Amino acid sequence: MDFTPTEAQAEARDLAARIFADLATHERLRAVGTGSDPELWKALTAAGLVAAVEELGLLGLVLLLEEQGRTTAQVPFAASCVYGQLAIAAHGTGEQRERLLPGIADGSVVVTGAFPAQAAVRPSARGGLSGTAPVVPWLRDATHVLVADTERRLWLVPVGEGTGVGEVELTAPWSAGRLTLHEAPAEPLGSAPDAYADVLAAARTAFAGLQAGVCAGSLARAVAHTNTREQFGRPLATRQGVQLRAADAHMDTEAIRVTAYEAAWRRDAGLPYATHALTAAWWASEAGQRVVHTGQHLHGGTGADVEHPVHRHFLWGRQLDAYLGSGGEVLQELGELIAHGD
């Protein structure tokens, strides 16, 4: 295993870091509220970062999402890349790739995913798709939704005819919505039986990378605060209890990062990675919520201020804790996968 970024991956990561640092500031995030930032999304697509994901692979995407997580930038970057760019590149037909990938790359097409599989969504005899997905992140920004039905078949649904979008507010500001389908036009994506499993594993890996960035950002803020905040004439960072909490949070963050890197690297190398994606998801859930709680706790009374930047990391960390399966659910799934020898 070699997680060293290629030159292209490192350049893309550094470019993403500069864009997020410049445009995902505390003031801009306050102005955006609970929606997405269209100017930031335009800057990311204009810089070619969405287009580059197909070449950079899942590991490259994880590196980019780490930078998004550090700033909690409110754009559908993770969803459109993993449910759109990577899913269509891996499982779409030649015609689908030619028709959809250019639009995803330039930001005119935004894809999100109704994942995991929705038991209430079924295709009809007339070829449409009907049912409800209660919560779909970034649905209010999306032009297309990748839907997994009760049989775990993948369908690409344009948002429009036969679809209803109801606003839903989550813990994190992910422009989420309730998707209602009534004989909605849908095209199948991928005929391979493992298409659903691959997309779900890729999504879990990508969002684990996002959680690594959220945790790193939370911890960085806590370190800066405890180094400057004094109590009884000494910085808080000199206290052993503070140091131990910060050290534990650092180790948890590194565990999330390295397990996400391994799962992503294995997918890019064409190796089995289902158990590795579940391992990354478990660390992102269990360790992620510990880190963002620590980040808020080490801010003392300031951490209770919902207007403080560290509170955004707390909200994102808690949302990512539950998205695509909480720690207990993921651990059970991992155990069953290992027990069956898959």
Side-chain angles (χ1 to χ4, degrees), residues 204 278-279 281-287 289-290 320-336:
R204 280 171 164 159
L278 285 166
T279 301
W282 182 83
W283 276 104
S285 177
E286 291 290 304
Q289 56 90 14
R290 287 198 298 265
L320 285 162
D321 167 26
Y323 184 54
L324 297 179
S326 64
E329 294 170 330
V330 168
L331 192 61
Q332 179 179 350
E333 188 176 342
L334 176 59
E336 292 172 352

Side-chain angles (χ1 to χ4, degrees), residues 91-93 96 99 127 146 153-156 186-191:
H91 303 290
T93 64
Q96 286 173 327
R99 170 165 49 92
L146 185 63
R153 292 170 294 192
L154 300 182
W155 303 86
L156 197 60
E187 55 182 310
L189 183 75
S191 56

Side-chain angles (χ1 to χ4, degrees), residues 53 56-66 77-78 81-82 86 202 206:
V53 167
L56 299 177
L58 184 55
L59 180 55
L61 176 59
V62 166
L63 293 171
L64 298 179
L65 292 177
E66 273 193 83
F77 193 70
C81 286
V82 76
L86 290 182

Side-chain angles (χ1 to χ4, degrees), residues 64-80:
L64 298 179
L65 292 177
E66 273 193 83
E67 301 307 322
Q68 180 185 1
R70 290 179 199 276
T71 59
T72 61
Q74 292 171 203
V75 286
F77 193 70
S80 202

Side-chain angles (χ1 to χ4, degrees), residues 22-308:
D22 290 344
L23 296 181
T25 62
H26 176 54
E27 293 72 24
R28 283 183 61 87
L29 289 170
R30 288 185 62 182
V32 169
T34 59
S36 295
D37 186 338
E39 184 178 341
L40 175 54
W41 182 239
K42 183 178 180 180
L44 292 167
T45 56
L49 290 174
V50 177
V53 167
E54 186 178 356
E55 177 186 346
L56 299 177
L58 184 55
L59 180 55
L61 176 59
V62 166
L63 293 171
L64 298 179
L65 292 177
E66 273 193 83
E67 301 307 322
Q68 180 185 1
R70 290 179 199 276
T71 59
T72 61
Q74 292 171 203
V75 286
F77 193 70
S80 202
C81 286
V82 76
Y83 296 125
Q85 188 82 302
L86 290 182
I88 293 171
H91 303 290
T93 64
E95 187 277 332
Q96 286 173 327
R97 291 194 294 270
E98 184 177 349
R99 170 165 49 92
L100 294 167
L101 290 181
I104 296 173
D106 66 24
S108 60
V109 174
V110 176
V111 184
T112 188
F115 272 69
Q118 307 293 319
V121 175
R122 300 174 183 274
S124 70
R126 289 181 287 179
L129 209 61
S130 296
T132 302
V135 178
V136 180
W138 290 287
L139 179 61
R140 285 177 271 159
D141 299 332
T143 60
H144 293 73
V145 186
L146 185 63
V147 178
D149 67 16
T150 186
E151 301 296 328
R152 297 190 171 186
R153 292 170 294 192
L154 300 182
W155 303 86
L156 197 60
V157 181
V159 176
E161 180 186 352
T163 64
V165 176
E167 186 171 325
V168 174
E169 295 298 341
L170 302 181
T171 302
W174 285 4
S175 297
R178 176 185 176 89
L179 178 67
T180 304
L181 304 171
H182 181 67
E183 291 293 336
E187 55 182 310
L189 183 75
S191 56
D194 63 344
Y196 168 79
D198 176 60
V199 173
L200 180 57
R204 280 171 164 159
T205 303
F207 282 95
L210 185 62
Q211 181 75 300
V214 169
C215 291
S218 176
L219 184 57
R221 292 188 183 279
V223 168
H225 175 78
T226 56
N227 272 295
T228 56
R229 177 73 170 176
E230 292 190 358
Q231 187 180 61
F232 304 115
R234 294 170 54 192
L236 289 173
T238 64
R239 309 291 177 178
Q240 188 179 47
V242 172
Q243 294 171 0
L244 292 173
R245 288 293 301 275
D248 286 344
H250 171 74
M251 294 305 296
D252 273 338
T253 301
E254 288 301 299
I256 300 169
R257 177 181 290 116
V258 74
T259 52
Y261 283 6
E262 182 179 12
W265 177 84
R266 290 182 66 89
R267 183 185 188 272
D268 292 343
L271 299 171
Y273 75 110
T275 55
H276 301 80
L278 285 166
T279 301
W282 182 83
W283 276 104
S285 177
E286 291 290 304
Q289 56 90 14
R290 287 198 298 265
V291 174
V292 296
H293 274 270
T294 294
Q296 197 167 34
H297 187 197
L298 290 181
H299 278 77
T302 307
D305 182 1
V306 296
E307 297 296 323
H308 194 279

